[in-house]
Amino acid sequence: MKGIIKASAFYGEVEKARHKGQDPGHKTGLPSLDELYRVRLGMMTIVTGIPGHGKSEIVDDMLVRLSRLYRWKFCFFSPENYPLEQHYIKIAEKLAGEQFGKFEASDHRVSKEWIQEHFAWLYPDDDNETVNLDWILDRARFLAESEGLQGLVLDPWNEIEHQRGTMSETDYVSLALTKIRRFARRYDVHCWIVAHPTKLQKDKATGQYPVPTPYDISGSAHWRNKADFCLTVHRPDVTKNMVNVFVQKVKFKHLGRVGQCTLNYRWHCGTFEELQP
């Protein structure tokens, strides 16, 4: 009967892991982050943090790095980055490591060719078109089948039209994350979901906001429970370039561990780098 699986069906993969070791995931090229978090296809990462602290920037930077290291292809549903040419410029700056206004002709040519090959955007032709999760996954599925796709970014979650009817928000989030996780596994695509936390209260003693966790995202503990990885991007001082990345969940220990790293944000081109000693 369909749905019943014996170990013999996947024992070849077990033997491969025994002889060659488990798949360690793919590095991003940021050594301190790679110690904690490595990207594996077919899995899902939840990224949260206070607005303006760099959630989208670090996701975009990771994707540019992954495209370079492994020639992966990605698609974005990222209405906060509209108009799309502005998002293109941000990606191009990360590729070149330079401010867009200082590009040489060769920078423009290389960026244009690379972005065309490795990045696509999902956006409705009609402003009245309903853009719900099924709309997004249908188009991502097409790209996975027709062009090969390694990554899907939903940024941010609250820009998707969530039609839950009489369903509670908790039940809807559970169902939606299950759909995304099944898509990721079926098509061997890594999915990043950027989700804002609910309103946080400043600490009365320090005047600082606490570091958000997946439990602070509206829609219950399913955000943490159903994720394979949970990252929080946090800037303790928004006037400085230092950005803390908190890895708050790693489902499988061979793909990383819970911990924190601190990176330097390069404002002129939107990339991240290791702190200089």
Side-chain angles (χ1 to χ4, degrees):
M1 182 177 291
K2 290 182 179 180
I4 300 173
I5 302 171
K6 291 285 190 175
S8 58
F10 53 81
Y11 201 71
E13 293 301 314
V14 175
E15 282 293 286
K16 186 189 297 183
R18 185 169 76 90
H19 291 291
K20 297 183 179 180
Q22 296 189 76
D23 179 356
H26 292 79
K27 295 181 178 181
T28 66
L30 291 165
S32 60
L33 180 59
D34 291 335
E35 287 183 13
L36 308 174
Y37 168 74
R38 292 181 296 279
V39 179
R40 184 173 177 182
L41 297 176
M43 304 187 87
M44 179 171 67
T45 298
I46 305 301
V47 183
T48 193
I50 295 168
H53 278 221
K55 300 184 295 299
S56 300
E57 289 295 317
I58 201 163
V59 170
D60 288 357
D61 191 44
M62 284 194 292
L63 267 56
V64 168
R65 291 171 177 275
L66 290 165
S67 77
R68 279 175 157 170
L69 289 169
Y70 312 110
R71 304 188 70 85
W72 284 2
K73 296 182 179 181
F74 302 93
C75 70
F76 295 96
F77 174 73
S78 188
E80 281 194 350
N81 278 303
Y82 191 85
L84 299 183
E85 59 268 23
Q86 291 300 315
H87 200 186
Y88 173 100
I89 290 171
K90 290 169 66 175
I91 297 296
E93 288 181 331
K94 288 172 168 59
L95 275 167
E98 183 56 88
Q99 191 172 354
F100 188 71
K102 297 181 179 180
F103 274 25
E104 302 290 340
S106 59
D107 295 322
H108 282 291
R109 185 182 68 256
V110 171
S111 296
K112 180 180 178 180
E113 292 172 356
W114 192 265
I115 293 172
Q116 176 68 19
E117 176 68 20
H118 295 276
F119 295 92
W121 284 262
L122 306 179
Y123 202 81
D125 295 330
D126 184 349
D127 289 340
N128 295 318
E129 189 171 3
T130 298
V131 180
N132 56 24
L133 184 58
D134 289 336
W135 186 96
I136 293 168
L137 293 181
D138 283 346
R139 283 149 183 81
R141 189 177 296 111
F142 172 82
L143 288 173
E145 292 174 342
S146 63
E147 296 187 17
L149 185 71
Q150 283 77 36
L152 168 65
V153 178
L154 309 181
D155 179 15
W157 178 253
N158 66 318
E159 285 286 347
I160 301 171
E161 295 189 35
H162 300 294
Q163 300 167 324
R164 55 189 177 92
T166 60
M167 195 182 303
S168 70
E169 185 176 19
T170 296
D171 289 342
Y172 172 78
V173 168
S174 176
L175 178 64
L177 293 180
T178 295
K179 277 187 179 181
I180 296 168
R181 190 167 62 182
R182 287 178 178 171
F183 166 82
R185 291 173 178 173
R186 170 67 178 82
Y187 292 98
D188 211 22
V189 169
H190 195 100
C191 296
W192 286 266
I193 305 173
V194 178
H196 299 308
T198 54
K199 189 173 182 179
L200 301 170
Q201 299 298 320
K202 287 185 178 180
D203 184 282
K204 292 182 179 178
T206 65
Q208 299 292 319
Y209 285 108
V211 176
T213 76
Y215 293 118
D216 293 313
I217 304 171
S218 180
S220 83
H222 289 306
W223 285 104
R224 188 185 191 284
N225 297 342
K226 296 214 170 188
D228 297 302
F229 305 93
C230 295
L231 308 182
T232 295
V233 181
H234 190 73
R235 291 168 60 198
D237 186 343
V238 295
T239 66
K240 296 182 178 179
N241 294 347
M242 288 193 304
V243 178
N244 293 331
V245 181
F246 294 84
V247 179
Q248 298 183 327
K249 180 183 178 181
V250 176
K251 189 172 185 178
F252 299 117
K253 61 185 179 182
H254 64 284
L255 296 173
R257 59 182 173 83
V258 171
Q260 172 195 345
C261 68
T262 301
L263 302 170
N264 183 60
Y265 180 62
R266 303 173 69 208
W267 284 94
H268 70 287
C269 61
T271 61
F272 291 80
E273 63 181 4
E274 299 294 314
L275 289 180
Q276 300 301 315

